[in-house]
Amino acid sequence: MALDQSFVGRTYPPTAPYEVGREKIREFAEAIGDANPAYTDTEAAKALGHSDVIAPPTFVFAITFKAAGAVIEDPQLGLDYSRVVHGDQKFAYTRPVRAGDRLSVTSTIEAIKSLAGNDILDIRGEVHDASGEHVVTAWTKLVSRAPEGA
Amino acid sequence: MTAKIAYDEVEVGTELPAQTFPVTRATLVQYAGASGDFNPIHWNEKFAVEVGLPDVIAHGMFTMAEAVRVVTDWAGDPAAVVEYGVRFTKPVVVPNDGAGALIEVSAKVAAKLDDRQVRVDITATSAGQKVLGMSRAVVRLA
């Protein structure tokens, strides 16, 4: 069933702040096998001009995707998440995510399309820090595949 | 932000050092824990096959994280990346054979932009198939 176009432009309330932990950044960097010292060594990060260790570019996805749950699980929208695949992902950074950041995400439905029975949903997540400054915007395209035989 | 590559030293076509990233089932379990994405298609072969996949596949976000390392290692400061986007075109299939899969990543400067920025186009393949499309980063150089 095609998703309701009237949801385009809908914005969900900002999420409660997520506090970025330096050990969480280290765990993520180790999981992707990335030994860049900017992720784990405060002095190395400072030598690059950062106030503390920074997170790898895709780290923030875990935060924005959790926030997108408000959209994905919105019973009024009615997305069939069991059939959803991740189509595209994009980030635009004002500054890197740093240890100690308290990040809040505001999710907006940017577009809803129906193509060959597939529902395509574009969600934009605006990430701000505790002082209200913009950190990064994440765009996530989700594709809900048409049921077989539909 | 302190990129170690100077804008004036690169031109369209400049190739970034290519890298190959191995991925095994253990890698995926570790990434699941670190990212919080516990979708069973990334660790449970039976489940993956039931939903029509050939085998367990890597998280798309894992592949995205590996691909940009070619850019962040080149630039020196990961914060030099001001934009990064990909399309997930094919899955990285990770067999349970101890060896797993390889993600091979190359990249080149595709355009010189204003404000000391360049657009880098990234190619990521696994088992001879392109696994990312439209994979591009905008990088601010020194």
Side-chain angles (χ1 to χ4, degrees):
Chain A
M1 193 180 71
L3 297 174
D4 184 350
Q5 285 286 334
S6 73
F7 278 73
V8 174
R10 180 170 295 206
T11 294
Y12 292 75
T15 56
Y18 173 102
E19 185 167 330
V20 178
R22 71 182 59 252
E23 295 303 332
K24 190 65 195 178
I25 292 175
R26 179 191 302 276
E27 180 189 2
F28 186 87
E30 286 177 353
I32 62 171
D34 194 334
N36 193 315
Y39 304 142
T40 53
D41 179 340
T42 308
E43 293 312 312
K46 284 182 175 168
L48 294 170
H50 307 299
S51 59
D52 205 331
V53 292
I54 63 171
T58 63
F59 174 88
V60 77
F61 179 78
I63 304 166
T64 60
F65 191 64
K66 193 173 181 192
V71 182
I72 293 163
E73 292 157 16
D74 184 339
Q76 292 182 302
L77 180 63
L79 185 70
D80 180 0
Y81 189 64
S82 71
R83 310 200 62 81
V84 165
V85 295
H86 197 173
D88 295 20
Q89 182 62 40
K90 185 180 172 188
F91 302 99
Y93 308 88
T94 297
R95 68 162 175 85
V97 169
R98 291 189 290 258
D101 273 338
R102 292 173 61 81
L103 302 177
S104 183
V105 186
T106 306
S107 299
T108 299
I109 299 179
E110 275 203 332
I112 293 173
K113 293 188 190 105
S114 189
L115 266 181
N118 299 324
D119 284 323
I120 301 168
L121 183 64
D122 288 300
I123 303 169
R124 183 181 77 243
E126 300 279 359
V127 182
H128 293 89
D129 66 16
S131 62
E133 296 293 320
H134 180 261
V135 177
V136 52
T137 299
W139 290 268
T140 299
K141 185 187 292 290
L142 300 176
V143 181
S144 185
R145 293 168 298 145
E148 282 88 17
Chain B
M1 205 285 296
T2 324
K4 67 184 181 192
I5 304 289
Y7 178 83
D8 295 335
E9 286 168 16
V10 304
E11 49 197 80
V12 172
T14 297
E15 292 191 8
L16 284 59
Q19 297 190 56
T20 298
F21 304 102
V23 46
T24 67
R25 293 289 179 88
T27 317
L28 298 183
V29 171
Q30 190 177 357
Y31 184 79
S35 67
D37 182 346
F38 294 99
N39 188 327
I41 61 173
H42 305 306
W43 51 269
N44 183 332
E45 193 169 308
K46 179 169 173 286
F47 183 91
V49 169
E50 276 171 11
V51 298
L53 294 166
D55 202 337
V56 161
I57 63 168
H59 303 74
M61 289 306 300
F62 176 82
T63 304
M64 186 176 187
E66 297 306 315
V68 80
R69 287 175 59 189
V70 164
V71 181
T72 55
D73 284 353
W74 175 68
D77 185 353
V81 175
V82 295
E83 277 184 36
Y84 177 38
V86 305
R87 174 162 294 167
F88 302 106
T89 50
K90 290 265 190 235
V92 173
V93 178
V94 183
N96 188 26
D97 59 2
L102 297 174
I103 301 170
E104 295 177 72
V105 183
S106 60
K108 63 171 192 267
V109 175
K112 292 191 81 171
L113 312 173
D114 293 341
D115 200 19
R116 307 189 79 75
Q117 299 186 140
V118 296
R119 193 187 95 213
V120 173
D121 287 1
I122 303 165
T123 303
T125 62
S126 186
Q129 296 245 43
K130 273 183 79 168
V131 293
L132 298 177
M134 307 282 290
S135 182
R136 294 171 170 183
V138 175
V139 188
R140 184 174 294 123
L141 299 176

